[in-house]
Amino acid sequence: MPTLQDVAQKAGVSTATVSKVLSNTPYFSEATREKVMKAVDDVGYIPNLAARALTTGKTNIIGVVFPYIYETIFEDVTVMSMLRGIESECRKRNHSILLSSPRIDEALDTQFQMLVQSGYFDGMISLDSIQQTSFSEFAQENGIPSVVIGYHESEHYVRCDDYVGSHDLMKHVVSLGHQHIGVITIPDNTHIGIDQRMNGIYEACRDAGIDVDTLSIACGDFSIASGQTAVKDLLEQNPNLTAIVSINDRMAIGAIQHLQAIGKHIPDDITVVGFDNIELSQLIAPALTTVDQRPILQGQQAAQMLFNVLDKKSPEPVILEAPLVIRDSTSTAKPTV
Amino acid sequence: MPTLQDVAQKAGVSTATVSKVLSNTPYFSEATREKVMKAVDDVGYIPNLAARALTTGKTNIIGVVFPYIYETIFEDVTVMSMLRGIESECRKRNHSILLSSPRIDEALDTQFQMLVQSGYFDGMISLDSIQQTSFSEFAQENGIPSVVIGYHESEHYVRCDDYVGSHDLMKHVVSLGHQHIGVITIPDNTHIGIDQRMNGIYEACRDAGIDVDTLSIACGDFSIASGQTAVKDLLEQNPNLTAIVSINDRMAIGAIQHLQAIGKHIPDDITVVGFDNIELSQLIAPALTTVDQRPILQGQQAAQMLFNVLDKKSPEPVILEAPLVIRDSTSTAKPTV
DNA sequence: CTGAAAGCGCTTACAG
DNA sequence: CTGAAAGCGCTTACAG
């Protein structure tokens, strides 16, 4: 690979001059600019990023951190949509993405720690809502600009309004006259965003005068399969349920599958709603009523925010509205027999 | 951030010695080893990767290249499963992943070119089956070790056996007695792997004595929506079709949706098959007969292969068997009226 | 406007 | 077994 040296030699100037031309400082004449650019072309020069990184302390790489919360994190469409949003912004700014998927343990993933501390990225975006550990916190301690998508303490963050979104969702279910409602969630105090969704659900119950303790609750692990199991559990707790509220779409879809398998008709026999608005939700029959998390937008906003931070601006946090999407899996409650 | 200097000072030795201890050369006494390690701990030393990269020429980063063939490349589960497989191997070897999603144009994406040439990764894995451009070729020209997942010319590659897989698939359809078959594909000479699938389909027809010209053919763009349109087209070409073969699952699913929407029953009225075995395929009703691409395995094998190349071994190419998965969307052809 | 020189933080012959 | 020194390829004061 040709170096700055080679270019300088070819152009008959010093490396300092070449460097100045290339980094667009105003300190050179048009004539030398041409000489230099021609030499760059001739030798096919591309700056060595490691060398540049060593002198400037900038790598033009941003770290994207998706904690390995479950096996299929890479196949989680919502997460990947965020990545898509991040990528499009990074591309505009000519930055690359270094992907990190730290494991969740008692101790903070050491590979992740080294990555942060070895100075390989200029800034970091992390999905940061797992109660147990905060990745952004570690970045901040080490002086790496960081924006979080989610709920962990951070000066800069974007998230969707889980609370209001699920509040609206539950309000809609309740407004349909449902009284016997089952909720599919994940264990409390695991994921801060999910806790918020549960809070929204509870508050909507209280608003409607429904005693929160009358809700049947079952836990899954976000997966479709776990939604099937959870709804079975729910029906055992209370066979008279007329509505199932799931804190994500995948478990809602699992629930629908099981319900249909045991001969229930949706929404006539039972209403089912989810949260996320993944593509699948509009494809299944009946199409699922849900809340749109707008993950692509979350990713874009997070990236833009990070670039603003890197540019020494002080961007405001963003809380994205999460609109209710009413489709065909909801209907009015039939009077209980 | 503390440097090697700091460690050396603290330990009362030279930086050369510290470096030797840290890189596990055999040239030091146990006593100095302990001194050094203690100093490392004390100051909290983490090597600066840019500096190390500059001296050694190694970054411990591998480039993963997923050409931006369509908007939703990041939401393509098959592709992301490959990434998942790659990630698990990289993690074992303590390497990071730099993600690149070059755009497809007449000219090779310049951001991609710079990335390769600026020496930021030690090796590269690329999804490389787009007729138009080869990314691995450029990497090889620039002396960076490369393995391809797909079909472009390369010493090192892994792919699934698209030809045999689709041959088996078509053979199965034909064995069910179908004579009037529609095929949903994408335009020829776009994706080499898809061309292979088509070849497998054609060959199975010939084997069965079916004139390839009697096949009805329509093109989509991999998406579910395009599958809906394509099947409509197919039915216009030949209303008597008893089977639809799609070169991917998503378009097959679109076809099923449209067919069901116009009142057709699957598989009684019409058989539908796909290719890929994405999760959705087993969830829809009826569950889709398809071919398993085993993307996670492809990713793992590709990463292992790359590490072997980096270790100066000479791994053999891998062609993965793609097993037929028979489910509920296929049945015997009804005698034509 | 231009260039000589120092320095970023490592590793690697080389000498001892 | 240990260390002084050069060098990886850049950028950035500094002097002219």
Side-chain angles (χ1 to χ4, degrees):
Chain A
M1 293 270 88
T3 73
L4 245 206
Q5 280 276 19
D6 301 327
V7 177
Q9 212 157 349
K10 187 95 179 181
V13 296
S14 72
T15 58
T17 299
V18 176
S19 178
K20 279 164 199 157
V21 172
L22 259 32
S23 44
N24 258 316
T25 57
Y27 310 118
F28 50 81
S29 68
E30 178 57 22
T32 70
R33 210 199 120 261
E34 276 165 19
K35 268 193 304 191
V36 168
M37 291 318 266
K38 183 166 182 323
V40 165
D41 262 20
D42 285 356
V43 304
Y45 171 72
I46 300 282
N48 176 306
L49 277 195
R52 185 175 272 183
L54 185 56
T55 37
T56 63
K58 297 269 151 266
T59 59
N60 269 36
I61 291 184
I62 81 146
V64 173
V65 178
F66 293 150
Y68 201 90
I69 353 180
Y70 37 78
E71 281 290 289
T72 51
I73 178 83
F74 286 109
E75 284 128 51
D76 185 317
V77 239
T78 304
V79 171
M80 289 306 132
S81 295
M82 289 175 182
L83 182 57
R84 175 178 161 193
I86 294 170
E87 197 265 353
S88 69
E89 294 303 313
C90 283
R91 190 176 166 84
K92 285 184 200 158
R93 294 283 302 239
N94 211 340
H95 279 236
S96 296
I97 290 176
L98 192 65
L99 209 57
S100 172
S101 205
R103 282 13 180 204
I104 313 270
D105 268 322
E106 328 77 65
L108 189 62
D109 187 307
T110 45
Q111 284 193 30
F112 170 75
Q113 290 189 42
M114 301 208 57
L115 208 56
V116 170
Q117 302 192 93
S118 60
Y120 242 47
F121 38 75
D122 297 342
M124 184 180 110
I125 297 175
S126 57
L127 261 184
D128 221 7
S129 290
I130 306 298
Q131 199 66 265
Q132 210 167 135
T133 24
S134 166
F135 298 98
S136 54
E137 187 184 322
F138 186 75
Q140 282 153 216
E141 286 169 9
N142 284 276
I144 304 269
S146 156
V147 354
V148 349
I149 298 182
Y151 285 87
H152 269 296
E153 202 63 48
S154 172
E155 193 185 339
H156 308 291
Y157 62 85
V158 6
R159 53 183 175 239
C160 83
D161 200 332
D162 292 287
Y163 178 82
V164 171
S166 66
H167 185 275
D168 289 348
L169 180 68
M170 191 61 167
K171 192 168 145 196
H172 176 242
V173 170
V174 166
S175 75
L176 259 18
H178 295 282
Q179 303 265 146
H180 306 282
I181 304 175
V183 178
I184 302 179
T185 181
I186 61 165
D188 279 355
N189 292 108
T190 310
H191 184 107
I192 309 174
I194 302 301
D195 289 346
Q196 287 302 313
R197 293 186 195 174
M198 289 304 290
N199 290 341
I201 290 171
Y202 292 143
E203 188 62 23
C205 282
R206 288 185 211 103
D207 291 350
I210 296 177
D211 183 353
V212 163
D213 292 334
T214 66
L215 293 174
S216 303
I217 297 199
C219 285
D221 63 4
F222 290 120
S223 72
I224 293 181
S226 75
Q228 297 177 321
T229 320
V231 76
K232 212 177 300 181
D233 181 359
L234 246 25
L235 254 21
E236 275 167 24
Q237 290 180 41
N238 181 354
N240 299 321
L241 259 22
T242 64
I244 306 288
V245 176
S246 168
I247 53 80
N248 78 335
D249 282 354
R250 293 173 66 81
M251 292 196 290
I253 289 164
I256 288 179
Q257 291 190 311
H258 175 73
L259 291 169
Q260 290 179 155
I262 62 173
K264 299 269 188 188
H265 193 274
I266 296 158
D268 298 342
D269 295 332
I270 190 161
T271 276
V272 179
V273 300
F275 197 115
D276 282 345
N277 195 25
I278 62 176
E279 184 193 27
L280 228 181
S281 301
Q282 55 174 295
L283 298 174
I284 56 164
L288 186 69
T289 292
T290 185
V291 174
D292 192 346
Q293 244 210 86
R294 302 200 284 174
I296 299 178
L297 190 56
Q298 284 192 59
Q300 287 175 168
Q301 301 260 325
Q304 286 169 9
M305 192 178 286
L306 181 57
F307 287 124
N308 279 330
V309 175
L310 294 176
D311 290 346
K312 307 294 181 211
K313 294 173 191 159
S314 302
E316 293 294 313
V318 168
I319 298 181
L320 251 32
E321 198 186 323
L324 180 63
V325 181
I326 300 179
R327 290 200 273 243
D328 312 326
S329 64
T330 33
S331 73
T332 51
K334 287 190 304 189
T336 333
V337 192
Chain B
M1 295 266 87
T3 72
L4 246 204
Q5 280 275 21
D6 301 327
V7 177
Q9 213 158 347
K10 188 96 180 178
V13 297
S14 72
T15 58
T17 299
V18 177
S19 177
K20 279 164 199 156
V21 172
L22 259 32
S23 44
N24 258 316
T25 58
Y27 310 118
F28 49 82
S29 68
E30 179 56 21
T32 70
R33 207 198 122 260
E34 276 165 18
K35 268 192 303 189
V36 168
M37 291 319 263
K38 181 163 183 324
V40 165
D41 261 20
D42 285 356
V43 305
Y45 172 72
I46 299 283
N48 176 305
L49 277 195
R52 185 175 271 183
L54 186 56
T55 36
T56 63
K58 297 269 153 266
T59 58
N60 269 36
I61 291 184
I62 80 144
V64 173
V65 178
F66 292 149
Y68 201 90
I69 354 180
Y70 37 80
E71 280 290 289
T72 51
I73 179 80
F74 286 108
E75 285 129 52
D76 185 316
V77 239
T78 304
V79 171
M80 289 305 132
S81 295
M82 290 175 181
L83 182 58
R84 175 177 161 194
I86 294 170
E87 196 266 353
S88 70
E89 293 304 312
C90 284
R91 190 176 167 83
K92 285 184 199 157
R93 294 282 303 239
N94 210 341
H95 280 237
S96 296
I97 289 176
L98 191 65
L99 207 57
S100 171
S101 204
R103 278 25 178 196
I104 313 268
D105 267 321
E106 329 77 62
L108 190 61
D109 188 307
T110 46
Q111 284 194 29
F112 169 75
Q113 290 189 41
M114 301 209 56
L115 208 56
V116 170
Q117 302 192 94
S118 59
Y120 243 45
F121 39 75
D122 297 343
M124 183 179 111
I125 296 175
S126 56
L127 260 185
D128 221 7
S129 291
I130 306 298
Q131 199 66 265
Q132 212 169 136
T133 22
S134 166
F135 298 98
S136 55
E137 187 185 320
F138 186 75
Q140 283 153 217
E141 285 168 9
N142 284 276
I144 99 138
S146 156
V147 354
V148 348
I149 299 182
Y151 285 87
H152 269 296
E153 202 62 51
S154 173
E155 193 184 341
H156 309 292
Y157 61 86
V158 6
R159 54 182 174 240
C160 83
D161 200 331
D162 292 287
Y163 178 81
V164 172
S166 67
H167 186 275
D168 289 349
L169 179 68
M170 191 61 168
K171 191 167 147 195
H172 176 242
V173 170
V174 166
S175 76
L176 258 20
H178 295 281
Q179 304 264 146
H180 305 283
I181 304 174
V183 178
I184 301 180
T185 182
I186 61 164
D188 280 356
N189 291 110
T190 309
H191 184 108
I192 308 176
I194 302 302
D195 289 346
Q196 288 302 313
R197 293 187 194 172
M198 289 304 289
N199 290 341
I201 290 172
Y202 292 144
E203 188 62 23
C205 281
R206 286 186 213 104
D207 292 351
I210 295 178
D211 183 352
V212 162
D213 293 334
T214 66
L215 293 173
S216 302
I217 297 198
C219 286
D221 62 4
F222 290 119
S223 72
I224 295 182
S226 75
Q228 298 177 319
T229 319
V231 76
K232 211 177 301 180
D233 181 0
L234 247 26
L235 253 22
E236 274 168 24
Q237 289 180 41
N238 181 354
N240 300 320
L241 260 21
T242 64
I244 306 288
V245 176
S246 168
I247 53 80
N248 78 335
D249 282 355
R250 294 172 66 79
M251 293 196 290
I253 289 164
I256 289 178
Q257 291 190 309
H258 176 73
L259 292 169
Q260 289 180 155
I262 62 172
K264 299 270 189 185
H265 193 274
I266 296 159
D268 299 342
D269 296 330
I270 191 162
T271 275
V272 179
V273 300
F275 197 114
D276 281 344
N277 196 23
I278 61 176
E279 184 193 27
L280 227 182
S281 300
Q282 56 175 294
L283 297 174
I284 56 165
L288 186 69
T289 291
T290 185
V291 174
D292 193 346
Q293 244 210 86
R294 303 200 283 173
I296 299 179
L297 191 56
Q298 284 192 59
Q300 288 175 167
Q301 300 260 327
Q304 286 170 10
M305 192 177 287
L306 181 58
F307 287 124
N308 279 330
V309 175
L310 293 176
D311 290 345
K312 307 292 180 212
K313 295 175 192 156
S314 302
E316 293 294 313
V318 169
I319 298 181
L320 251 34
E321 200 186 322
L324 181 63
V325 181
I326 300 179
R327 289 200 275 244
D328 313 324
S329 64
T330 33
S331 75
T332 51
K334 289 190 302 192
T336 333
V337 191

